[in-house]
Every structure is written in C-alpha cells, then in structure tokens.
Amino acid sequence: MTNSSSSALLHNLVQLSQPLKDSLSKTPYNPPEGSPNISIKSTLQSLLPNPNISKADFRTHIKDFVLCCAALASSLNSTTEHLSWIPNLLSFSAMSALEDFANAYCNSSNVKDSIKIGELELDLRFLESEKRLVIELMPEVLPWFKDKIKESAIDASDEGDGISAASAKAPVAYAIVAAYQFRWFVTKVDCPILGKLCPLVVPCALTAIDHWSPEVKGQGMISFTHLGKIVNAAEFGSYVDVILDACCQNVASDDEIWHYVVEMSVLLATSTQRNNPRSPWFEKLLNEMLNHLERQPRNKQRRTAWLTHIEPLFNVLGLLLLAHFRRLFPLFFKWMHADDDETVLLVLKQTKTVLRVTWIRNSPFIERLVDELITLYKEAALKVKREAIRSLVLQILTLIQHSKGSQFDATWEKYKDDPNLTSLSDHFQLRDDALKKEVC
C-alpha cells in the first residue's frame, strides 16, 4: 500500500471510529453477574484506534476495527447478556461505519485482488466492498476465533476438566462474543466463495458446537446452517463424517438451542447424503432425535422444532421410513391431541408427508390412524384453527382411502352414521359415487 493511500485510510479509520468510541463510552454497562473483572465494553473499546496510531500497525488496526463492528452489529439479533447492553443505534452506526471504511479501503491503490486458501487462490475483484474486506480478513480472524472459543472449552483428555475448571482457565464471556463475531463473519459470505473457505470455516464451527456453553454452540449451529444452505456438499470434503457425528452428539443440547440442532442436522444430513437414503447417518440421527422426543413427548419447544424442520429428511428417506413407524406413529398420535393448535397442525402436516412418501405400505397403524384422525376431527370443533385442522384431516383421510381402500372402508364403516361427521360422510359418499361412475 502506498504511503499516501495508507495515510488517507488511516485518517478515515480514525474518523469513523471516533463516534463509535464516544457512543461506547456513554453506554451503560454492568459486568456479568459473578464476574466483576470481565468487561466486554472495555474489550470493544480497545479494538478501536487512537488518533496517534502508527502506519506500521495499520493492518492490525483494520482487523480490530472490523472485529469491533462485528460484535456491535451482532447485538441486533443477540439474546446474550454479553451483547444485549449495546443499543440498536450503536449497532446501526457500526454497520454504517464499516460500510464506509470498506468502500474507502477497496478503492485504495493497493487493495488485495485475491487471497490464497491453501493451494487455492480466490479472486475478490468483483465483490462488493464490505464482503471483499470481510473475506480478505477471514484467514486472519477465523483461527483467532477458534483459539478464543477453545480457551474456555472442556479438555476431553483431562478427566478432571469440567465446566467450572474450563471457566476458570478463561471467562466464557469472551468465547460467547467470539462465537457471535464468527457467525457474523460467516453469514456475510455466500456462494461461490464460502465453499472455498470451508477449510477455514468448518474447524472453527466444529470448535463452537463442541463447546459446553449453549450460547457458543448456538452460534456455531447457525453458522453450519448457513453453510448447509450455501455450500455444495462436495466442498465439505473429508469433514462430512466429522460434521454429521457432531450433529448426532449435539442432539442432547438444551431446549433453548434445540431448534438450531434440528435445523442444522437435517439440512447437513440431507445435503451431504441425499443420494444415499440408506446412509447410516440418517438412521443414527433420526434415532437420536426420537430418543429425546420419546423421553419428553410433552415438551412443546422440542416437538414443534422437530416437526418444523424434519420434513426434508422424511422426503429423502421415503420408503425407508417404514422401519421407523413403530416409533413415529405413537408420538404422532399423542401430538394430534396436544393443547396447542401449532403442534396439531405441524403433526398433521408431517403425517401427510409420511403417508405421501411411503403410502403406508404393510403398516399395522392404518386403523389406529383413522380412529385418531376422526377423533381429532371432532375435537377440532373447540379449537381456534378448526378449519385448517379439519382440512388437513380430510386430506390425510383421502390419502388413506386412495392407498388403502378396503382397510379404510372397513374402519370408516363404524363412523359413517355418526351425526357429528356428516360433512365427512358426504365427502366420502361423493368420492365413492365418482369412482363408481369412472368404473362404469
């Protein structure tokens, strides 16, 4: 970088940092309970440059400035006490300052046109300024995030190393903030560049989801979900089995992040194993999830998260789902009569999916399923979402009648004269009449 270009950028960096420093100094901050010596605020302030910074450290000051902006911006969708003290206005100011600096940096005379990841060279010339700056810094900051998260992690090789011992080595607050910064960096990048960065991103994400803190794990899971949506399965390379094993290990995570676990695991399993429905990873993952759901069938948070995200896995497994019917349907039958309409609608949707991909072949659950659906149809009279529930029940019963005509008819026989099921009776009578006409 030329001296004049460096001086101009240096001046620009200091100018953009000063309002952030002023706002930070005026923002109230209380250290985490039980940790009076920890100050995230002071850490963030130390990342912003002073007016007398030297050109020799200019690269470090750029990195620190972006790290500070990443932490401030992350507070917008943060629930952690370590970032929630940051006002929204300061977050937006940081985002604006970063955009302004990135534009100035990328218009300077000696900005990098490419970076090397191993043997691979990435062309950055045609990217927008902020994304270009973020990607250029990733080879420097991602190993730093990994190390910072690892400082307070439990050492698996040390039997005496538990959560309290890990926290004593390094305050977990710094790992949590680093995890949020990591997630911010990763979600700033999309295809095709992100896939090329997997050798840097995946080790850090694995370190995050292997951490004992749910807050650190959660940010790692969000990062992996972003990867799963953007990256081609082949770009995960030799990491696939390690990633899927980590997914299975994390099924035991806390309620507060279980929706992240399910979304991440289903997405990564289906994207990497899509062409192999008999992959043992599907069996292992589904069994792990069902184990936890069977232990806590009344846990609304877990069942709604699972029912919301599981459909892609059902679609890939197809007929192989038959092997899981003995565990799936008892849960479905319980959830069909849950107190909340959200669960009822979700389980009906997934019941319909299971029937669609398997045609419930050779299943002993047909009669019980029809009984439960008809009971639910009656119960729906007292529910707020009665019309949506009844519509789905009717769609499922119609699927069953279409695929298992004689079995359905035998079960329906005991309900056809029920005065509370007149609309259902009329529907199936009209369908029978239409079928008879087709035969004639």
Side-chain angles (χ1 to χ4, degrees):
M1 188 176 289
T2 63
N3 286 334
S4 59
S5 176
S6 179
S7 297
L9 279 173
L10 187 68
H11 178 70
N12 185 269
L13 185 65
V14 171
Q15 273 198 321
L16 291 169
S17 297
Q18 193 57 48
L20 300 181
K21 293 182 75 169
D22 294 342
S23 296
L24 267 173
S25 65
K26 295 173 185 176
T27 300
Y29 174 79
N30 294 314
E33 188 176 342
S35 306
N37 298 323
I38 295 173
S39 177
I40 300 301
K41 177 178 175 178
S42 297
T43 300
L44 296 183
Q45 287 174 310
S46 70
L47 292 172
L48 294 172
N50 294 314
N52 58 349
I53 58 174
S54 67
K55 294 178 184 177
D57 298 326
F58 186 58
R59 182 74 184 175
T60 299
H61 290 303
I62 292 177
K63 179 188 72 176
D64 289 348
F65 171 76
V66 178
L67 286 173
C68 181
C69 290
L72 294 174
S74 293
S75 72
L76 285 173
N77 52 13
S78 160
T79 56
T80 179
E81 63 177 330
H82 303 298
L83 293 174
S84 59
W85 56 272
I86 299 170
N88 287 351
L89 185 59
L90 179 51
S91 298
F92 289 122
S93 297
M95 293 163 65
S96 177
L98 177 59
E99 183 180 359
D100 288 345
F101 178 75
N103 287 333
Y105 177 77
C106 291
N107 287 325
S108 63
S109 59
N110 293 313
V111 64
K112 290 184 180 180
D113 288 334
S114 64
I115 60 169
K116 288 199 75 173
I117 306 295
E119 298 299 317
L120 190 66
E121 189 159 345
L122 302 183
D123 188 348
L124 307 180
R125 287 174 299 171
F126 304 107
L127 299 176
E128 59 189 64
S129 298
E130 186 176 323
K131 189 178 297 184
R132 186 171 176 175
L133 176 59
V134 165
I135 294 169
E136 186 178 317
L137 290 173
M138 286 179 89
E140 298 174 53
V141 299
L142 263 58
W144 183 85
F145 291 144
K146 182 183 174 184
D147 291 341
K148 185 59 65 175
I149 292 168
K150 209 168 184 177
E151 283 177 1
S152 58
I154 295 173
D155 184 354
S157 64
D158 184 353
E159 292 182 2
D161 194 19
I163 292 175
S164 57
S167 299
K169 289 186 296 185
V172 70
Y174 298 122
I176 292 170
V177 173
Y180 271 91
Q181 291 169 309
F182 167 66
R183 189 264 307 156
W184 182 89
F185 265 81
V186 172
T187 54
K188 278 288 177 184
V189 186
D190 49 26
C191 62
I193 298 290
L194 188 58
K196 310 297 186 295
L197 294 170
C198 275
L200 287 173
V201 175
V202 171
C204 189
L206 286 170
T207 301
I209 67 172
D210 193 43
H211 199 277
W212 58 266
S213 165
E215 291 179 292
V216 175
K217 281 181 179 290
Q219 297 309 299
M221 290 170 185
I222 293 171
S223 301
F224 261 131
T225 299
H226 182 68
L227 281 174
K229 292 176 178 177
I230 298 293
V231 172
N232 184 297
E235 291 176 309
F236 285 116
S238 60
Y239 286 112
V240 170
D241 285 349
V242 180
I243 292 170
L244 295 179
D245 184 60
C247 290
C248 292
Q249 296 294 330
N250 276 278
V251 170
S253 295
D254 294 354
D255 287 357
E256 64 192 273
I257 59 170
W258 214 64
H259 60 294
Y260 293 144
V261 177
V262 178
E263 183 179 13
M264 170 190 73
S265 301
V266 170
L267 179 62
L268 291 171
T270 53
S271 64
T272 61
Q273 309 295 304
R274 181 172 300 279
N275 296 325
N276 181 20
R278 294 186 182 276
S279 166
W281 287 116
F282 287 130
E283 180 85 9
K284 186 174 182 180
L285 184 61
L286 188 53
N287 281 331
E288 287 286 344
M289 291 180 176
L290 291 174
N291 287 341
H292 285 273
L293 292 167
E294 286 168 344
R295 283 197 288 268
Q296 303 179 63
R298 297 184 184 277
N299 186 320
K300 180 187 173 185
Q301 199 170 353
R302 286 187 178 251
R303 73 192 182 211
T304 54
W306 189 77
L307 289 166
T308 298
H309 297 296
I310 198 63
E311 186 170 349
L313 191 144
F314 286 171
N315 286 329
V316 172
L317 284 177
L319 283 172
L320 296 175
L321 272 176
L322 288 166
H324 298 277
F325 273 17
R326 62 184 177 81
R327 302 185 72 186
L328 283 173
F329 276 106
L331 287 170
F332 284 5
F333 295 151
K334 286 178 186 174
W335 295 337
M336 282 180 189
H337 309 291
D339 293 336
D340 62 295
D341 290 1
E342 181 186 11
T343 296
V344 175
L345 288 169
L346 284 170
V347 76
L348 287 174
K349 181 184 176 188
Q350 295 312 326
T351 301
K352 183 181 175 185
T353 297
V354 170
L355 299 190
R356 175 178 55 78
V357 299
T358 65
W359 288 102
I360 51 175
R361 299 181 186 184
N362 303 319
S363 171
F365 293 100
I366 302 295
E367 183 174 351
R368 172 82 185 276
L369 178 55
V370 173
D371 289 339
E372 297 290 350
L373 288 168
I374 289 174
T375 301
L376 175 57
Y377 190 90
K378 293 179 181 180
E379 291 174 353
L382 302 176
K383 294 184 177 290
V384 174
K385 302 283 189 179
R386 68 179 66 86
E387 294 305 321
I389 291 170
R390 284 184 164 177
S391 174
L392 276 169
V393 168
L394 182 57
Q395 292 173 40
I396 296 168
L397 288 171
T398 303
L399 261 178
I400 297 171
Q401 185 192 37
H402 184 66
S403 61
K404 291 289 184 181
S406 58
Q407 280 183 276
F408 173 82
D409 292 340
T411 308
W412 174 247
E413 186 68 24
K414 59 188 176 185
Y415 296 108
K416 68 177 185 179
D417 296 323
D418 188 328
N420 295 315
L421 299 172
T422 304
S423 58
L424 274 183
S425 297
D426 291 344
H427 170 82
F428 290 120
Q429 186 59 53
L430 286 170
R431 183 174 177 82
D432 286 343
D433 292 345
L435 288 173
K436 287 175 183 176
K437 285 183 179 177
E438 286 180 17
V439 172
C440 293

